[in-house]
Amino acid sequence: MLSSVLLSQSAYRVQAWKNGLGQTEEICRDSEEPYRWRVSLATLEASGPFSQFPNYDRSLVHLGTAPIHFKHGEKRKIVPPFTPYSFRGEDETSVEVNAPGLDFGLIVKRQAARGSIYTSRALEKEELQFPLPAQEHFLFCCTGSLEVFEPNSQRRWTLEPRDCLWVTRRGDTEYLNLRAQGLAARNAALWTVVHLNL
C-alpha cells in the first residue's frame, strides 16, 4: 500500500536548535516518540557548533554556493555544495561557513532506522527514476520544477522549490517507482529514503 502527501514550505514547523544558536524548519518526522527519523531544513547563517543528538545518525546536504568545513574533534572535512555528508549525532561537531546557505538534513535513530540522501540534476524534459525499496521516501525540489508520476497509483504532482513529496510504502506488495521530469532549464532534487528496522 502506498500513501503520499505533498508538503510545502508554509506547512513546515519552525523549531529552535537544541543549542539555541539557530532555527530548523521541520519538514516531517516519524510519529513515534522518540522519533525514528526526521527530515528538515536549516539555514547556516554563521560558523559555530551543531546540536548533539546522542544515538542518532545525521546526513546533510548543503544547498549553498560555497563548501562548508566540518570539524569533529581534531578531524576536519571539507564538504562541497550538493554533496551528502553523514556523521554521528553525538559527535562534537562544528562548522565553518564562508557564506550563508540552506542545509537539508536527515536524522535517524540508530538501530531503529537507517537512511540515505541522493542528489539528482535534470535538464528540461530529462527524466529521473527513483526505484528504491525503503519504507519512507522523500523527494525534495531544490531548484527548478519537477513533474512527478507514480505508475502504481497513477498519481501526478508538480514540485516547486522547497516542496517535498513524502511517500510511504507499507508492506512488500507494491513496488515504488517514482518518475520525475524536469520542467525548467535546470532542475535539482534530493531523494531521501528511510529503511525502518521493523
Side-chain angles (χ1 to χ4, degrees):
M1 177 180 174
L2 298 176
S3 62
S4 60
V5 59
L6 179 58
L7 304 167
S8 62
Q9 189 177 11
S10 61
Y12 302 162
R13 189 161 64 111
V14 178
Q15 294 180 316
W17 289 2
K18 288 174 65 178
N19 62 15
L21 298 179
Q23 288 186 328
T24 290
E25 293 179 79
E26 183 179 271
I27 297 174
C28 55
R29 69 155 73 179
D30 179 38
S31 59
E32 290 195 5
E33 291 293 343
Y35 59 79
R36 295 171 294 177
W37 56 264
R38 186 186 74 172
V39 178
S40 62
L41 292 171
T43 300
L44 292 183
E45 297 283 358
S47 302
F50 272 20
S51 302
Q52 291 181 290
F53 287 84
N55 302 314
Y56 282 85
D57 293 320
R58 302 185 66 177
S59 297
L60 296 176
V61 176
H62 186 55
L63 303 178
T65 58
I68 54 177
H69 298 238
F70 280 86
K71 183 178 179 182
H72 308 285
E74 297 302 315
K75 297 181 180 180
R76 293 179 178 269
K77 177 73 173 179
I78 299 175
V79 180
F82 211 60
T83 303
Y85 179 64
S86 299
F87 56 96
R88 290 162 56 92
E90 59 265 41
D91 290 349
E92 185 178 331
T93 300
S94 61
V95 293
E96 295 177 9
V97 179
N98 296 319
L102 193 67
D103 268 9
F104 179 92
L106 169 68
I107 181 169
V108 294
K109 192 174 189 338
R110 196 172 302 129
Q111 298 182 346
R114 55 189 172 87
S116 300
I117 304 174
Y118 303 90
T119 58
S120 298
R121 297 185 189 272
L123 300 176
E124 187 175 7
K125 297 184 179 180
E126 184 177 358
E127 290 192 353
L128 301 168
Q129 283 189 285
F130 307 98
L132 292 171
Q135 284 87 18
E136 305 291 353
H137 304 255
F138 309 90
L139 182 59
F140 179 80
C141 182
C142 304
T143 57
S145 181
L146 298 171
E147 182 179 66
V148 183
F149 175 60
E150 204 294 300
N152 289 316
S153 62
Q154 294 290 301
R155 293 199 64 187
R156 292 183 183 272
W157 305 266
T158 299
L159 274 63
E160 303 296 338
R162 298 200 186 187
D163 286 348
C164 183
L165 177 62
W166 173 16
V167 181
T168 298
R169 179 163 89 59
R170 295 182 177 88
D172 298 320
T173 58
E174 289 187 283
Y175 183 68
L176 179 65
N177 188 14
L178 285 184
R179 302 175 186 178
Q181 184 179 72
L183 298 179
R186 295 182 182 276
N187 310 273
L190 300 176
W191 174 244
T192 301
V193 295
V194 174
H195 302 263
L196 300 175
N197 298 332
L198 302 175

